């Protein structure tokens, strides 16, 4: 198959969903990668909601959280903030846990450059050069 070159060192895509499960940010880190496909977005949201519901129903203590799942071609990592904002990262399947990185993206990038930005409308699309710059730096530092 064709080798895909990545600028994010093993990170394929990164997506943020609002507390209403609407996509407010998407970035493809695969060179010549595709734009955000609405059908894939709907499938991703549906999968996340379904997995969260399934895990909460089968968990013996009802407080289990979904963090990632893996296939032979990718690994999907998931982090949800207390306010319900969801961070989804697709990586190569060989990548280790991304929880610390997703938590860092939330606390060191999302909170200061989106949540605390007076020009950002809560739940609205993220349009911040500072957010994008710091997100890219953090993602490119992931090995």
């Amino acid at each position: 198959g064709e080798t895909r070159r990545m600028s994010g060192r093993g990170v394929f895509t990164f997506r943020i969903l609002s507390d209403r499960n609407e996509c407010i940010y998407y970035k493809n880190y695969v060179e010549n990668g595709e734009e955000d496909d609405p059908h894939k977005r709907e499938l991703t949201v549906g999968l996340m909601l379904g997995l969260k519901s399934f895990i909460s129903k089968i968990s013996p203590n009802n407080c289990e959280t979904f963090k990632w799942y893996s296939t032979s071609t990718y690994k999907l990592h998931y982090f949800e903030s207390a306010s319900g904002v969801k961070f989804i990262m697709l990586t190569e399947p060989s990548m280790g846990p991304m929880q610390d990185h997703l938590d860092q993206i939330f606390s060191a990038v999302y909170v200061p450059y989106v949540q605390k930005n007076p020009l950002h409308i809560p739940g609205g699309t993220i349009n911040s050069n500072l957010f994008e710059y710091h997100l890219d730096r953090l993602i490119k530092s992931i090995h």
Side-chain angles (χ1 to χ4, degrees):
E2 180 182 321
T3 302
R4 298 191 292 181
R5 293 177 21 156
M6 291 164 283
S7 59
R9 295 187 187 194
V11 175
F12 295 145
T13 62
F14 179 73
R15 177 187 312 270
I16 301 175
L17 303 177
S18 72
D19 59 344
R20 296 184 311 274
N21 299 313
E22 295 166 351
C23 185
I24 58 173
Y25 183 83
Y26 174 82
K27 175 110 185 226
N28 191 330
Y29 286 91
V30 178
E31 194 173 286
N32 300 320
E34 62 191 29
E35 294 297 313
D36 191 17
D37 178 334
H39 181 67
K40 285 184 181 178
R41 180 175 50 231
E42 288 176 20
L43 290 172
T44 301
V45 171
L47 177 65
M48 294 299 89
L49 296 175
L51 279 173
K52 279 181 52 181
S53 174
F54 174 75
I55 289 168
S56 71
K57 285 183 170 101
I58 66 166
S59 173
N61 58 8
N62 208 18
C63 66
E64 195 71 29
T65 58
F66 167 70
K67 295 181 181 160
W68 62 270
Y69 79 87
S70 186
T71 73
S72 62
T73 56
Y74 70 91
K75 187 182 281 187
L76 185 144
H77 308 267
Y78 179 81
F79 171 82
E80 185 171 343
S81 73
S83 62
V85 177
K86 297 147 196 83
F87 299 78
I88 301 167
M89 182 183 290
L90 261 62
T91 68
E92 292 180 338
S94 61
M95 297 290 283
M98 293 287 129
Q99 284 307 114
D100 290 343
H101 296 293
L102 292 172
D103 184 56
Q104 190 176 7
I105 289 169
F106 172 70
S107 61
V109 182
Y110 179 82
V111 169
Y113 300 109
V114 176
Q115 191 171 323
K116 291 185 177 180
N117 180 347
L119 300 177
H120 177 74
I121 300 165
T125 303
I126 298 170
N127 292 313
S128 165
N129 291 337
L130 278 173
F131 168 80
E132 184 125 359
Y133 171 77
H134 289 285
L135 174 67
D136 286 347
R137 283 190 63 195
L138 201 152
I139 286 182
K140 288 175 183 174
S141 74
I142 297 171
H143 294 15

